[in-house]
Amino acid sequence: MYPMYNVHILGRYAEMGLFSLLCDGCLALCEEFIFNCTLQALAARALAYNDRTVQYKNPRAVSVTCESGSNNLQILFDTDIELRAPVRGPCPVAATSCAWINIEGINATITSVSGHTAVVSAPGVACTTGGTWISYLYGDWPVPTVYAAGSGHPGLPALPFLLRT
């Protein structure tokens, strides 16, 4: 397992980009190790020091509603979100295996993001209260595009969800 470092000190090193000082002779550091330690440091800052400005949790969809006067759906998240291009480019496998955002099983588009809210639409899909379902990252190859705002690289992608209006 990974050596345990003081989470607060590691977070400060992460902010300064001085991981080589912690490695003490290692030739390479795993990016996952760096991200996990940075995430732990952010969580410590948020929880132990009551720092409300730190984002350390993945965004979670809370609800979805039909937008009045259109066929768009509004998804409400528990934190501010932003859109990003897929990290590894477009879907590297068959498009039917990639999981993006779907409305009633049809590939949808996030048309706008503002604060905690994303507006989503799919061509030819009518939004009906109590009957329209929307899914995100439900598939063989999830391709995240919604991230916590300001979560840096590699970032905190939104959690998968399946919701009904």
Side-chain angles (χ1 to χ4, degrees):
M1 210 53 201
Y2 301 123
M4 299 305 293
Y5 294 105
N6 181 304
V7 173
H8 181 70
I9 292 171
L10 185 60
R12 294 293 178 218
Y13 281 123
E15 291 169 2
M16 296 183 296
L18 300 175
F19 283 104
S20 60
L21 294 177
L22 295 176
C23 193
D24 198 36
C26 296
L27 296 177
L29 282 175
C30 175
E31 185 177 278
E32 180 182 345
F33 170 69
I34 294 170
F35 178 67
N36 287 336
C37 289
T38 302
L39 193 57
Q40 290 172 1
L42 291 175
R45 275 181 48 194
L47 299 173
Y49 300 111
N50 204 23
D51 186 348
R52 301 286 180 213
T53 64
V54 175
Q55 178 66 36
Y56 69 97
K57 288 184 181 179
N58 298 68
R60 184 178 56 87
V62 176
S63 65
V64 62
T65 56
C66 291
E67 198 174 69
S68 60
S70 73
N71 282 332
N72 295 338
L73 286 101
Q74 286 187 341
I75 306 169
L76 180 65
F77 288 87
D78 62 351
T79 187
D80 285 349
I81 57 169
E82 64 187 17
L83 291 179
R84 295 188 188 176
V87 175
R88 292 185 172 88
C91 183
V93 294
T96 55
S97 296
C98 281
W100 312 85
I101 190 157
N102 294 300
I103 300 174
E104 296 290 334
I106 296 173
N107 196 21
T109 303
I110 299 175
T111 56
S112 67
V113 170
S114 176
H116 287 50
T117 306
V119 177
V120 181
S121 67
V125 177
C127 182
T128 57
T129 302
T132 305
W133 60 268
I134 185 167
S135 63
Y136 178 69
L137 300 183
Y138 267 73
D140 298 333
W141 193 282
V143 182
T145 54
V146 178
Y147 286 80
S151 62
H153 175 76
L156 297 168
L159 298 172
F161 61 84
L162 178 62
L163 297 172
R164 268 198 196 279
T165 55

